[in-house]
Amino acid sequence: MNDSLLKRHITIYSEQLRSRRLWNIFIILIFAVSFFMSSSIIDFNLSQIIDGFPRLSDYIVKILPNLDINLILENSKTEGSIQYWYFNFKKYAALLYETFNMAVLATLMGFIFALILSFLSAKNITPNIYSYHLVKRILEFLRGVPEIIFAILFVWALGVGPLAGIIAITIHTTGALGKLFSEVHENADLKTCEAIRSHGGNWVSEMRYGIIPKVLPNIISYALLRFEINIRASTVIGFVGAGGIGQELYLVINFNYYEEVSAIILLIILTVITIDISSGRIRQKIIGEMGV
Amino acid sequence: MASLEINSLVKKFSETTAINDISIRILDGEMVGIIGKSGAGKSTLMRLINRLIEPTSGSIAYNGIEITSLKGKNLKQWRSKCAMIFQQFNLIDRLDVLTNVLSGTLGINFKLLKLLKIYSKKEKIEALTYLNNLDLSDKALQRVGTLSGGQQQRVAIARAMMQNPSILLADEPISSLDPKNSKVVMDDIKKINKQDGIMVICNLHSLEIAKEYCDRLIGLSDGKIVFDGHPSSLTKELAEQLYDLENE
Amino acid sequence: MSEKDIISLCPKAFYPLWKRSPIVFTGYILVIFYFLFCLYYFDFSLGKILSGLSNMKPILVAMFTWNDFFNWNFNSIFTGLAQTLGMAFLGTFLATLVCIPISFVASRQIFKFGLIRFLIKRFLDFIRGVDILIWAIIYVRAFGLGPFAGLLSIFTVDVGTLGKLFSEATDNADARQIEGMQSTGASKISVIRYGLIPQIFPIFISQSLYFFESNTRSAVILGVVGAGGIGLQLTERMKAQYWDQTLFIIILILIMVAIIDTASRIIRKNIIDE
Ligand SMILES: Nc1ncnc2c1ncn2[C@@H]1O[C@H](COP(=O)(O)OP(=O)(O)O)[C@@H](O)[C@H]1O
Ligand SMILES: [Mg+2]
């Protein structure tokens, strides 16, 4: 190879490398600036961490149960036993059950509303362009506002209790699923719909036979995913008085019933993980083998 | 003369015995083709020589130095000395061709700056020269993922050459390539063998190509050597046995 | 041909619904019954809800009556927004830094100790099992009210999720590229730098951006339990029944989230195409 060509290649390579490096430095600078701005606005500094961590570990030690390996299986009167730690288990179980039902109901209702609205807000199948834009904006609003904010509002209106939470989660679910569903519809292919139209089928039959069979596995799998999210949501929506185990957790944290805090949190984790795993299994099954 | 000596080499996976008591001696400057149907143990043999995997028992020695017991730095040195190219190229798709070739120096000459993709001018010139020999210098700045299979395999050869190897291991280098590119790549490998005197061990699934390019063929079947000799001495029956399903 | 003969051609077609695909059918029935049961369990009546919602009317009216707009404390509102963004940014950023080494451990080809991998994965599961608001109250208890608690809760939850996603990305990385680098005799650090990072970095950045986006949403609600940011401003105004400012803040939140969404979508697209 002649030397000048080689040199030219190397110059080009070095230049390209240099410009890429400049670009990287620029990005790093942006990050650094954002980092320092963020740190100053939220008073983030090392001393806060250093001061705080002993307190955090103190707190964690306090909420952890005082289990004594020798007494662990004793009855609820003996300090150190699991039963002593979970003396309130019946109450927690009832509340967890309520929480679960809140999530189920909110997911199902949100699912129904979202499914109906999604046909209107999918560009390719909407019966009319105004309803498309209107519904789309509404869905955006519904999922844009966090459920806990809705919950605060509904606790005002409906009083303390699970109803406020259910409605809040339903509303948010409608927004979130509505968007996903209409995206699923938009990716569906419309040949079947055209065929049905050519047979003289109306819009509803087009949706039922042209769209639903194609999108159902996807939609159900999204709904299950949302159910997993809603289980989490309903464990905390009680913080504002909207029902479920969160209400109890908020109470024991504020009254410093230390050991009960860990008892409840552990139950929540177990519930959430169990439901995540089972729902994940079902989702995988559904994606494989569903025909309607 | 320097040589690679393999003695009673065995490699067992949980269920299969991929290499079953193999002994071979290969001299510097030889171009050896390893043939056999898929599952015969060809890739496993290559990986054992490069020490990407550990043998169950047996020995591999180069110039009298035992390879199978090398550790740490010496192991890395050995790997860079016996460069390897793969059926699927195994290049870094998202990086440009030149950087891929330059990455061949990481084993023999590591510098912290190389983690920032900074290489010396001398190395860059060397890399470009190899690329130029393989007719790829105009692609130097292109991302590897955008090249054709034949081009990628030649990039892999250039990377191997950057390692300044004594041995080139090629694991089915042409089985993802079309006939035209296959010829280009095999010619390049042959050139490396003839001009630089580098020992080449090449797994091939095509008997014709193996006969055309190699001075010596080793036939593997179920992890055992069933043939070792000049291509002309390979009988038709044996060839059919070696390839039965493959060529139907 | 008699009707019977015709039916015998394909008897299955005449099975009742529940016999045609019993599993799906039972599934539907169970769901419907559980749905009805839940309505009963919560004593869910439309009348109750409608009468409750009618209580909302004065609130809605108040939301849209902006009388003393110019006397509102905009300073605190915009500081709140900035805090929310800051929490989301720092939380995501620090979590990303922590999750990169975690993800290397998840790569089977690079890190050989299965037990450590298993323990880390279970730890991440545990972190993800606790909702961000629960972390937030715990941190508020330990560190006091304010955005620092919020930052820590975002960080914690992100370590759980990003740690998992990053690990999956490294675990699914193309093994051939790693093997190719190993075959050259490169050291572990070079193998990671060349064989792994070019593959996974674009994925990491795009996932972190995505989480920054969703963390701005989470950061909004952390104020509900006192962990600072715009959520704190919002809940304070709701408690004081300043419904006009409540709506104003909600609108600001929606705008902020929309801007971040769009920006992050554009950047992510460019990274993936790059
Ligand atoms: N990592 C591995 N784990 C288990 N078995 C393997 C592994 N690699 C190869 N084998 C087995 O070893 C045998 C030889 O494989 P290989 O060397 O890849 O054959 P070839 O390259 O000749 O097609 C095959 O039966 C294969 O299934
Ligand atoms: Mg093979």
Short mmCIF file of all heavy atoms in Angstrom, two decimals, chain C residues 53-87:
data_model
loop_
_atom_site.label_atom_id
_atom_site.label_comp_id
_atom_site.label_asym_id
_atom_site.label_seq_id
_atom_site.Cartn_x
_atom_site.Cartn_y
_atom_site.Cartn_z
N LEU C 53 -69.87 11.01 44.23
CA LEU C 53 -69.26 11.87 43.21
C LEU C 53 -69.94 13.22 43.14
O LEU C 53 -69.33 14.21 42.72
CB LEU C 53 -69.27 11.17 41.85
CG LEU C 53 -68.33 9.96 41.76
CD1 LEU C 53 -68.33 9.40 40.35
CD2 LEU C 53 -66.91 10.34 42.17
N SER C 54 -71.21 13.24 43.55
CA SER C 54 -71.88 14.56 43.52
C SER C 54 -71.25 15.50 44.55
O SER C 54 -71.29 16.71 44.39
CB SER C 54 -73.37 14.41 43.75
OG SER C 54 -73.58 14.00 45.07
N ASN C 55 -70.61 14.89 45.59
CA ASN C 55 -69.86 15.74 46.52
C ASN C 55 -68.70 16.44 45.82
O ASN C 55 -68.14 17.40 46.32
CB ASN C 55 -69.23 14.91 47.65
CG ASN C 55 -70.29 14.26 48.50
OD1 ASN C 55 -71.44 14.69 48.47
ND2 ASN C 55 -69.91 13.22 49.23
N MET C 56 -68.31 15.88 44.68
CA MET C 56 -67.14 16.42 43.99
C MET C 56 -67.48 17.72 43.26
O MET C 56 -66.58 18.43 42.84
CB MET C 56 -66.63 15.42 42.95
CG MET C 56 -66.16 14.11 43.52
SD MET C 56 -64.38 13.96 43.68
CE MET C 56 -63.77 14.58 42.14
N LYS C 57 -68.78 17.95 43.09
CA LYS C 57 -69.15 19.09 42.25
C LYS C 57 -68.54 20.41 42.74
O LYS C 57 -67.87 21.09 41.96
CB LYS C 57 -70.68 19.19 42.14
CG LYS C 57 -71.11 19.69 40.75
CD LYS C 57 -72.59 19.97 40.66
CE LYS C 57 -73.39 18.70 40.35
NZ LYS C 57 -74.83 18.89 40.67
N PRO C 58 -68.72 20.73 44.03
CA PRO C 58 -68.10 21.99 44.49
C PRO C 58 -66.58 21.99 44.30
O PRO C 58 -66.01 23.02 43.95
CB PRO C 58 -68.47 22.05 45.97
CG PRO C 58 -69.01 20.73 46.33
CD PRO C 58 -69.52 20.10 45.09
N ILE C 59 -65.97 20.81 44.47
CA ILE C 59 -64.52 20.75 44.28
C ILE C 59 -64.17 21.09 42.84
O ILE C 59 -63.27 21.88 42.57
CB ILE C 59 -63.99 19.35 44.65
CG1 ILE C 59 -64.26 19.05 46.12
CG2 ILE C 59 -62.51 19.23 44.34
CD1 ILE C 59 -63.78 17.69 46.58
N LEU C 60 -64.92 20.48 41.91
CA LEU C 60 -64.65 20.74 40.49
C LEU C 60 -64.83 22.21 40.16
O LEU C 60 -64.02 22.80 39.44
CB LEU C 60 -65.56 19.87 39.62
CG LEU C 60 -65.17 18.40 39.56
CD1 LEU C 60 -66.18 17.61 38.74
CD2 LEU C 60 -63.78 18.26 38.98
N VAL C 61 -65.90 22.77 40.70
CA VAL C 61 -66.14 24.20 40.44
C VAL C 61 -64.96 25.01 40.97
O VAL C 61 -64.39 25.86 40.26
CB VAL C 61 -67.45 24.66 41.10
CG1 VAL C 61 -67.59 26.18 40.99
CG2 VAL C 61 -68.63 23.97 40.44
N ALA C 62 -64.55 24.70 42.20
CA ALA C 62 -63.45 25.45 42.79
C ALA C 62 -62.16 25.29 41.98
O ALA C 62 -61.35 26.20 41.89
CB ALA C 62 -63.21 24.98 44.23
N MET C 63 -62.02 24.11 41.37
CA MET C 63 -60.80 23.87 40.60
C MET C 63 -60.66 24.84 39.44
O MET C 63 -59.56 25.21 39.04
CB MET C 63 -60.80 22.44 40.05
CG MET C 63 -60.29 21.42 41.01
SD MET C 63 -60.17 19.83 40.18
CE MET C 63 -59.32 18.89 41.44
N PHE C 64 -61.80 25.19 38.88
CA PHE C 64 -61.74 26.02 37.68
C PHE C 64 -61.92 27.51 37.97
O PHE C 64 -62.01 28.30 37.05
CB PHE C 64 -62.77 25.54 36.66
CG PHE C 64 -62.37 24.23 36.04
CD1 PHE C 64 -62.83 23.03 36.54
CD2 PHE C 64 -61.48 24.21 34.97
CE1 PHE C 64 -62.44 21.83 35.99
CE2 PHE C 64 -61.08 23.01 34.40
CZ PHE C 64 -61.57 21.81 34.92
N THR C 65 -62.00 27.88 39.25
CA THR C 65 -62.15 29.31 39.58
C THR C 65 -60.82 29.84 40.09
O THR C 65 -60.46 29.63 41.23
CB THR C 65 -63.21 29.50 40.68
OG1 THR C 65 -64.11 28.39 40.63
CG2 THR C 65 -63.94 30.79 40.51
N TRP C 66 -60.09 30.46 39.18
CA TRP C 66 -58.78 30.96 39.56
C TRP C 66 -58.89 32.45 39.85
O TRP C 66 -58.65 33.28 38.98
CB TRP C 66 -57.76 30.71 38.45
CG TRP C 66 -57.51 29.26 38.18
CD1 TRP C 66 -58.20 28.21 38.69
CD2 TRP C 66 -56.50 28.71 37.35
NE1 TRP C 66 -57.71 27.03 38.23
CE2 TRP C 66 -56.64 27.30 37.39
CE3 TRP C 66 -55.47 29.25 36.56
CZ2 TRP C 66 -55.81 26.45 36.69
CZ3 TRP C 66 -54.65 28.39 35.86
CH2 TRP C 66 -54.81 27.00 35.93
N ASN C 67 -59.20 32.80 41.12
CA ASN C 67 -59.43 34.22 41.42
C ASN C 67 -58.15 35.00 41.70
O ASN C 67 -57.87 36.00 41.07
CB ASN C 67 -60.38 34.34 42.62
CG ASN C 67 -61.80 34.04 42.20
OD1 ASN C 67 -62.15 34.27 41.04
ND2 ASN C 67 -62.59 33.50 43.12
N ASP C 68 -57.39 34.47 42.67
CA ASP C 68 -56.23 35.25 43.12
C ASP C 68 -54.94 34.69 42.52
O ASP C 68 -53.92 34.57 43.18
CB ASP C 68 -56.15 35.22 44.64
CG ASP C 68 -56.28 33.79 45.16
OD1 ASP C 68 -56.56 32.88 44.34
OD2 ASP C 68 -56.08 33.57 46.36
N PHE C 69 -55.02 34.34 41.24
CA PHE C 69 -53.91 33.69 40.55
C PHE C 69 -52.56 34.37 40.83
O PHE C 69 -51.56 33.72 41.07
CB PHE C 69 -54.19 33.70 39.04
CG PHE C 69 -53.16 33.01 38.20
CD1 PHE C 69 -53.08 31.63 38.16
CD2 PHE C 69 -52.23 33.75 37.47
CE1 PHE C 69 -52.12 31.00 37.40
CE2 PHE C 69 -51.27 33.12 36.70
CZ PHE C 69 -51.23 31.74 36.67
N PHE C 70 -52.58 35.71 40.86
CA PHE C 70 -51.29 36.40 40.95
C PHE C 70 -50.70 36.39 42.36
O PHE C 70 -49.57 36.78 42.56
CB PHE C 70 -51.42 37.82 40.40
CG PHE C 70 -51.72 37.80 38.93
CD1 PHE C 70 -53.01 37.99 38.46
CD2 PHE C 70 -50.71 37.52 38.02
CE1 PHE C 70 -53.28 37.92 37.11
CE2 PHE C 70 -50.98 37.45 36.66
CZ PHE C 70 -52.27 37.66 36.20
N ASN C 71 -51.49 35.93 43.31
CA ASN C 71 -50.97 35.86 44.68
C ASN C 71 -50.45 34.48 45.04
O ASN C 71 -50.01 34.25 46.15
CB ASN C 71 -52.05 36.26 45.68
CG ASN C 71 -52.50 37.67 45.45
OD1 ASN C 71 -51.71 38.52 45.04
ND2 ASN C 71 -53.78 37.92 45.68
N TRP C 72 -50.55 33.54 44.10
CA TRP C 72 -50.08 32.18 44.42
C TRP C 72 -48.59 32.17 44.63
O TRP C 72 -47.84 32.98 44.06
CB TRP C 72 -50.44 31.22 43.27
CG TRP C 72 -51.91 30.98 43.12
CD1 TRP C 72 -52.91 31.48 43.90
CD2 TRP C 72 -52.53 30.21 42.11
NE1 TRP C 72 -54.12 31.06 43.44
CE2 TRP C 72 -53.93 30.27 42.33
CE3 TRP C 72 -52.06 29.46 41.03
CZ2 TRP C 72 -54.85 29.63 41.52
CZ3 TRP C 72 -52.97 28.81 40.22
CH2 TRP C 72 -54.36 28.90 40.48
N ASN C 73 -48.17 31.18 45.42
CA ASN C 73 -46.74 31.07 45.71
C ASN C 73 -46.04 30.26 44.61
O ASN C 73 -45.76 29.08 44.77
CB ASN C 73 -46.57 30.42 47.07
CG ASN C 73 -45.12 30.44 47.51
OD1 ASN C 73 -44.23 30.78 46.73
ND2 ASN C 73 -44.89 30.07 48.75
N PHE C 74 -45.75 30.93 43.51
CA PHE C 74 -45.16 30.22 42.38
C PHE C 74 -43.76 29.72 42.70
O PHE C 74 -43.32 28.71 42.18
CB PHE C 74 -45.12 31.13 41.15
CG PHE C 74 -46.48 31.41 40.60
CD1 PHE C 74 -47.05 32.65 40.74
CD2 PHE C 74 -47.20 30.40 39.98
CE1 PHE C 74 -48.32 32.89 40.25
CE2 PHE C 74 -48.47 30.65 39.49
CZ PHE C 74 -49.03 31.90 39.63
N ASN C 75 -43.10 30.46 43.56
CA ASN C 75 -41.75 30.06 43.91
C ASN C 75 -41.73 28.63 44.45
O ASN C 75 -40.97 27.77 43.98
CB ASN C 75 -41.19 31.04 44.94
CG ASN C 75 -39.71 30.85 45.12
OD1 ASN C 75 -39.07 30.22 44.28
ND2 ASN C 75 -39.18 31.37 46.21
N SER C 76 -42.62 28.36 45.42
CA SER C 76 -42.61 27.03 46.00
C SER C 76 -43.04 25.99 44.97
O SER C 76 -42.53 24.87 44.96
CB SER C 76 -43.50 26.98 47.23
OG SER C 76 -44.84 27.16 46.85
N ILE C 77 -43.97 26.37 44.11
CA ILE C 77 -44.43 25.40 43.11
C ILE C 77 -43.29 25.01 42.17
O ILE C 77 -43.04 23.83 41.92
CB ILE C 77 -45.62 25.97 42.31
CG1 ILE C 77 -46.82 26.16 43.24
CG2 ILE C 77 -45.97 25.05 41.15
CD1 ILE C 77 -48.02 26.76 42.56
N PHE C 78 -42.58 26.02 41.67
CA PHE C 78 -41.55 25.68 40.69
C PHE C 78 -40.34 25.02 41.36
O PHE C 78 -39.69 24.17 40.76
CB PHE C 78 -41.18 26.90 39.85
CG PHE C 78 -42.23 27.20 38.83
CD1 PHE C 78 -43.14 28.24 39.00
CD2 PHE C 78 -42.37 26.38 37.71
CE1 PHE C 78 -44.14 28.48 38.07
CE2 PHE C 78 -43.37 26.61 36.77
CZ PHE C 78 -44.26 27.66 36.96
N THR C 79 -40.07 25.42 42.61
CA THR C 79 -39.02 24.69 43.32
C THR C 79 -39.42 23.22 43.45
O THR C 79 -38.59 22.32 43.27
CB THR C 79 -38.81 25.28 44.73
OG1 THR C 79 -38.68 26.69 44.61
CG2 THR C 79 -37.58 24.71 45.38
N GLY C 80 -40.69 23.00 43.74
CA GLY C 80 -41.17 21.63 43.86
C GLY C 80 -40.95 20.85 42.57
O GLY C 80 -40.45 19.71 42.59
N LEU C 81 -41.29 21.47 41.45
CA LEU C 81 -41.09 20.79 40.17
C LEU C 81 -39.61 20.47 39.96
O LEU C 81 -39.25 19.36 39.56
CB LEU C 81 -41.57 21.68 39.02
CG LEU C 81 -43.06 21.67 38.71
CD1 LEU C 81 -43.36 22.64 37.60
CD2 LEU C 81 -43.50 20.26 38.32
N ALA C 82 -38.76 21.47 40.25
CA ALA C 82 -37.32 21.26 40.06
C ALA C 82 -36.82 20.14 40.96
O ALA C 82 -36.02 19.29 40.54
CB ALA C 82 -36.56 22.55 40.33
N GLN C 83 -37.33 20.11 42.19
CA GLN C 83 -36.92 19.04 43.11
C GLN C 83 -37.32 17.67 42.56
O GLN C 83 -36.56 16.71 42.62
CB GLN C 83 -37.57 19.23 44.46
CG GLN C 83 -36.88 20.24 45.33
CD GLN C 83 -37.55 20.35 46.69
OE1 GLN C 83 -38.65 19.84 46.88
NE2 GLN C 83 -36.89 21.01 47.62
N THR C 84 -38.52 17.61 42.03
CA THR C 84 -39.00 16.35 41.48
C THR C 84 -38.07 15.87 40.37
O THR C 84 -37.65 14.71 40.34
CB THR C 84 -40.43 16.52 40.96
OG1 THR C 84 -41.26 16.87 42.05
CG2 THR C 84 -40.93 15.26 40.32
N LEU C 85 -37.75 16.79 39.46
CA LEU C 85 -36.84 16.42 38.37
C LEU C 85 -35.48 16.01 38.93
O LEU C 85 -34.89 15.02 38.48
CB LEU C 85 -36.65 17.61 37.43
CG LEU C 85 -37.71 17.79 36.37
CD1 LEU C 85 -37.39 18.98 35.50
CD2 LEU C 85 -37.76 16.52 35.52
N GLY C 86 -35.00 16.78 39.89
CA GLY C 86 -33.68 16.48 40.47
C GLY C 86 -33.65 15.11 41.12
O GLY C 86 -32.72 14.33 40.93
N MET C 87 -34.71 14.79 41.88
CA MET C 87 -34.80 13.48 42.51
C MET C 87 -34.77 12.37 41.46
O MET C 87 -34.03 11.39 41.59
CB MET C 87 -36.13 13.34 43.27
CG MET C 87 -36.11 13.84 44.68
SD MET C 87 -37.70 14.26 45.39
CE MET C 87 -38.88 13.27 44.72
#
